[in-house]
Amino acid sequence: MSNARWQGVFPAVTSKFNADETLDHEEMRKHFSFLINNGVHGLVTGGSLGEASTLSLEEKVAVAKTAVEVSEGRVPILANVSETSTREALRYVKAAVDAGVDGFMIMPSLIYVADSREAMLSVRTIAEAAKKPCMIYNNPVAYRVDLKPEHMAELADCEWLVAIKESCDDIRRITDLRNTLGQRYQLFIGVDDLSFEALALGADGLLAGLVTAFPRETVALYDLMKAGKWAEALALYQWFTPLLHLDVSTKLVQNIKLAETLAGVGNENVRRPRLPLVGAERERVERIIRAALEKRPAEYQSR
């Protein structure tokens, strides 16, 4: 399993809630099935989009277990690790392994801004404890920890580290990673509105947000790019881009849950302190989503 070669489109799935903020596992089962049936290549549970910071360890494990049950081995299920300490991360990893996940995505520890020495040791410790394939999530914009190509090279001797989700917001990083590391890691872009650019530079996959509302469209973009059908891919991407901008926001959860709702595949229930969008902010986001739905390319439409 340490030789996993993940590629394609991996949604960072949303966690579904009832109106009273309890987890809605039935709604998650429906949504995970919808994503898999529309061709995604893997699922990542308990990420930022999954409102991980509001979930207990036991709830995160329960969401991952639901995804494992729905997948039935059709696609790999990765559980995101975003605990406040390495010690707590190890407890979570053990429980998630017992729940049957196929691998992990490892974020920096939340709250404390680790330096590269601390962050690398934490990543290595978690991966070696998991003994499952792991993806390193680098997002200095949101989490203020930047593991650069030279740090990824230092970690390359850990067999369980197989992929990188890069979200530094500088598209040049994809080429720098490939030049420094060759094919050692699978490279995923984690910024929705850099999808075309990253795939054109040779990224292996998209770890995406708006895919949760538009899975077939996202898979089509990936397929067209890998087939070298640049003009068709660009036309699809230009339609998609106003939606993809909604992922790059502190309100990405509310934005994407509104997109799911208007696309007919979800609801807007969030866990406080988040609240659904209201007023002018909601009107602006809703206009973007409705305009995209009106011009949705029929040949790529999710169903």
Side-chain angles (χ1 to χ4, degrees):
M1 278 299 294
S2 63
N3 295 321
R5 301 293 290 176
W6 295 324
Q7 58 187 4
V9 176
F10 283 46
V13 297
T14 51
S15 298
K16 301 291 189 263
F17 298 106
N18 296 298
D20 64 358
E21 299 186 21
T22 57
L23 288 172
D24 187 343
H25 286 278
E26 186 55 38
E27 191 65 24
M28 283 188 276
R29 288 186 185 94
K30 286 168 52 181
H31 193 234
F32 299 162
S33 293
F34 164 73
L35 294 172
I36 294 170
N37 292 339
N38 275 280
V40 303
H41 304 93
L43 300 178
V44 181
T45 66
S48 305
L49 187 53
E51 297 175 68
S53 62
T54 72
L55 302 181
S56 69
L57 184 149
E58 292 75 18
E59 287 176 320
K60 283 184 275 195
V61 172
V63 172
K65 187 174 182 180
T66 293
V68 169
E69 291 169 353
V70 170
S71 174
E72 295 183 317
R74 289 178 290 169
V75 301
I77 304 301
L78 281 60
N80 179 64
V81 183
S82 57
E83 310 313 303
T84 55
S85 69
T86 305
R87 178 189 178 101
E88 192 69 1
L90 296 177
R91 191 166 76 91
Y92 172 52
V93 161
K94 183 181 184 305
V97 168
D98 291 343
V101 302
D102 299 292
F104 294 92
M105 183 170 75
I106 305 174
M107 287 172 55
S109 297
L110 299 181
I111 301 177
Y112 176 67
V113 180
D115 65 24
S116 60
R117 178 178 67 95
E118 295 168 322
M120 285 191 291
L121 180 58
S122 184
V123 166
R124 185 186 294 275
T125 301
I126 293 165
E128 290 178 350
K131 290 184 167 52
K132 292 275 188 180
C134 295
M135 176 184 295
I136 306 167
Y137 179 15
N138 189 54
N139 189 339
V141 177
Y143 304 114
R144 295 180 290 164
V145 177
D146 191 7
L147 291 180
K148 297 177 180 177
E150 58 267 30
H151 302 128
M152 302 300 184
E154 287 189 50
L155 291 167
D157 64 316
C158 179
E159 65 172 313
W160 302 107
L161 298 173
V162 303
I164 298 167
K165 175 188 176 183
E166 183 54 65
S167 299
C168 76
D169 208 26
D170 181 353
I171 197 60
R172 292 171 291 191
R173 181 65 65 87
I174 295 297
T175 301
D176 290 341
L177 286 167
R178 191 65 84 200
N179 284 345
T180 301
L181 303 164
Q183 300 298 319
R184 168 59 182 82
Y185 298 94
Q186 298 292 94
L187 301 183
F188 283 69
I189 189 70
V191 183
D192 273 21
D193 56 5
L194 290 177
S195 298
F196 181 97
E197 294 85 348
L199 291 171
L201 293 172
D204 300 294
L206 308 175
L207 215 153
L210 267 297
V211 61
T212 65
F214 301 95
R216 191 159 175 252
E217 293 87 340
T218 309
V219 171
L221 176 65
Y222 172 81
D223 288 342
L224 289 168
M225 291 296 291
K226 289 301 176 181
K229 298 181 178 179
W230 313 115
E232 294 170 63
L234 182 58
L236 178 58
Y237 189 58
Q238 288 171 336
W239 163 80
F240 217 164
T241 294
L243 288 168
L244 301 182
H245 290 329
L246 299 177
D247 177 64
V248 188
S249 166
T250 56
K251 298 283 184 74
L252 81 161
V253 172
Q254 293 95 320
N255 291 345
I256 291 173
K257 284 194 167 181
L258 179 55
E260 291 177 349
T261 301
L262 295 180
V265 296
N267 62 58
E268 291 186 72
N269 294 336
V270 290
R271 184 171 276 183
R272 290 171 291 178
R274 287 184 178 86
L275 294 170
L277 301 177
V278 294
E281 185 177 34
R282 180 188 181 88
E283 291 171 7
R284 181 187 67 82
V285 174
E286 191 166 331
R287 276 197 305 273
I288 292 168
I289 298 166
R290 291 194 183 281
L293 288 170
E294 288 174 8
K295 297 179 180 178
R296 197 174 188 177
E299 65 270 38
Y300 306 125
Q301 188 168 329
S302 301
R303 52 182 180 265

